[in-house]
Amino acid sequence: MATSMNTLVFLLACGVMLSVLAPSSADFLTDEFKKWVTEHRVKYKSKAETLKRFGIFKANYLFINESNHNPKVDFKLGLNKFADMTNKEFLAKFTGYTPLTTKPAPTSFRYADTTAPSSIDWRTLGAVNAVKDQGQCGCDGGLQDSAFKWVIKNGGIDSEEDYAYTAQNGTCDATKTKRYIASITGYEDVPSFNETALMNAVANQPVTVSIDASGLFFQFYSSGIFRGPCGLNLDHAVTVVGYGGSGTFGKYWIVRNSWGTTWGEEGYIRMWKDSGLPTGLCGIALDSSYPLLN
Ligand SMILES: *[C@@H]1O[C@H](CO)[C@@H](O)[C@H](O)[C@H]1NC(C)=O
Ligand SMILES: *[C@@H]1O[C@H](CO)[C@@H](O)[C@H](O)[C@H]1NC(C)=O
Ligand SMILES: *[C@@H]1O[C@H](CO)[C@@H](O)[C@H](O)[C@H]1NC(C)=O
């Protein structure tokens, strides 16, 4: 039979023991799992592992489907590369930022009196590098990145082309890079519990924030303005590279994540701004800082 032949070819090609999956009622999800496994080139070591992952995939699939059909949820989830992981496994691997328990004394806030524009997007201003895939590390590194580009932009080299040009001149590259990063002379904190202060800071430069990235909604975020649910357990460092929108439900922070470009909106998430929570959504207004540059 052609079908079983195809299945066999598939199993051989992928080295996955999907034949152990029960047919009948779960047929549809079995097919979805096979598609996902093929697309993501996943290989499991054993029957037991395959079955376990299929179980998790099914639960995640149904969760995503329910959410996407729920009229009360206006952002979309997607069956991304994390679809065979429980949220607990996911958090252990892809978050892990630990905020300082003893915070340094509050610094001065130089953007207190900024008149912020109604929207800004540092990506279009050439100040943000491409989204990286952090792999299994909860730290972002985004601040260094965006700060670096920001220095390039504002420190005399005035376009990205010039930067590529400089980099192509081999020998100068490494030393120049080091010199620019070294020009970060310190950090200032954004006052907490104040999204206006955060907006003022972001109006001037990308800002590193800590958020609670836990929950399946965050794990499978795909597009739209994310509204949670999420808590205040700050476990993930990301970079706010802009904001925009209008109205009670339309305003958002543009947040650069580090889980690759297949997650969210090309690696970014728009998070509800001015949600009414003093902490900001997912604690986004609790622990923010920006580099000082010279
Ligand atoms: C997806 O959710 C809708 C709405 O709850 C439901 O009718 C449909 O059967 C679900 N699809 C699957 C594959 O579970
Ligand atoms: C929030 O920050 C803004 C901008 O710096 C400031 O004008 C305002 O007084 C702050 N609000 C509170 C409650 O501290
Ligand atoms: C960089 O390379 C370009 C040509 O590719 C050359 O014109 C320029 O002088 C070089 N600059 C330095 C600093 O070597």
Side-chain angles (χ1 to χ4, degrees):
M1 246 167 40
T3 313
S4 48
M5 195 59 201
N6 285 343
T7 308
L8 183 62
V9 169
F10 167 79
L11 290 171
L12 291 174
C14 299
V16 181
M17 285 172 270
L18 288 174
S19 55
V20 299
L21 302 175
S24 70
S25 65
D27 266 0
F28 175 74
L29 286 171
T30 306
D31 287 346
E32 290 296 297
F33 186 49
K34 284 179 185 172
K35 272 196 270 178
W36 182 86
V37 160
T38 309
E39 186 188 334
H40 295 273
R41 294 168 202 214
V42 172
K43 287 186 185 181
Y44 300 118
K45 322 191 266 289
S46 64
K47 272 187 197 179
E49 181 70 7
T50 307
L51 279 173
K52 180 182 165 190
R53 292 296 144 195
F54 180 50
I56 296 166
F57 175 91
K58 268 195 289 193
N60 286 336
Y61 187 100
L62 297 175
F63 178 86
I64 291 166
N65 181 58
E66 278 308 311
S67 177
N68 286 346
H69 279 88
N70 184 346
K72 288 183 187 149
V73 180
D74 65 350
F75 58 89
K76 290 296 172 201
L77 304 186
L79 204 62
N80 59 25
K81 61 184 171 180
F82 306 127
D84 70 346
M85 298 172 84
T86 65
N87 190 237
K88 197 175 168 199
E89 289 170 332
F90 175 73
L91 293 176
K93 272 192 177 167
F94 296 102
T95 66
Y97 169 79
T98 315
L100 297 172
T101 42
T102 49
K103 286 209 78 149
T107 54
S108 62
F109 178 51
R110 65 190 53 204
Y111 302 131
D113 299 324
T114 293
T115 305
S118 59
S119 69
I120 191 163
D121 186 347
W122 285 102
R123 294 172 301 180
T124 65
L125 299 167
V128 181
N129 281 339
V131 165
K132 287 190 304 202
D133 201 335
Q134 73 179 32
Q136 296 174 11
C137 161
C139 43
D140 178 21
L143 180 63
Q144 296 291 339
D145 262 11
S146 22
F148 175 52
K149 269 286 188 68
W150 195 85
V151 173
I152 298 275
K153 182 178 155 49
N154 295 284
I157 306 175
D158 61 15
S159 86
E160 216 177 315
E161 267 167 72
D162 284 358
Y163 170 50
Y165 169 83
T166 307
Q168 272 158 16
N169 279 352
T171 50
C172 308
D173 189 19
T175 49
K176 278 210 168 125
T177 302
K178 278 202 191 104
R179 198 179 310 148
Y180 280 120
I181 284 180
S183 77
I184 296 173
T185 57
Y187 295 88
E188 269 178 12
D189 291 335
V190 179
S192 302
F193 298 100
N194 190 334
E195 286 190 273
T196 305
L198 181 56
M199 176 170 73
N200 286 1
V202 175
N204 283 281
Q205 63 187 89
V207 172
T208 291
V209 298
S210 311
I211 55 169
D212 181 334
S214 62
L216 287 172
F217 287 101
F218 205 93
Q219 180 173 341
F220 295 117
Y221 167 79
S222 161
S223 65
I225 301 177
F226 181 76
R227 304 188 198 278
C230 49
L232 299 174
N233 173 35
L234 306 179
D235 57 11
H236 192 46
V238 290
T239 309
V240 179
V241 301
Y243 56 82
S246 61
T248 310
F249 294 98
K251 286 191 238 163
Y252 53 84
W253 298 109
I254 305 167
V255 176
R256 176 186 190 274
N257 202 352
S258 50
W259 295 338
T261 52
T262 58
W263 182 87
E265 296 180 331
E266 302 285 318
Y268 289 82
I269 177 170
R270 280 182 291 154
M271 295 178 66
W272 193 10
K273 175 175 175 285
D274 300 339
S275 61
L277 297 167
T279 57
L281 185 76
C282 313
I284 198 170
L286 290 179
D287 180 20
S288 320
S289 61
Y290 49 89
L292 300 177
L293 312 158
N294 63 9

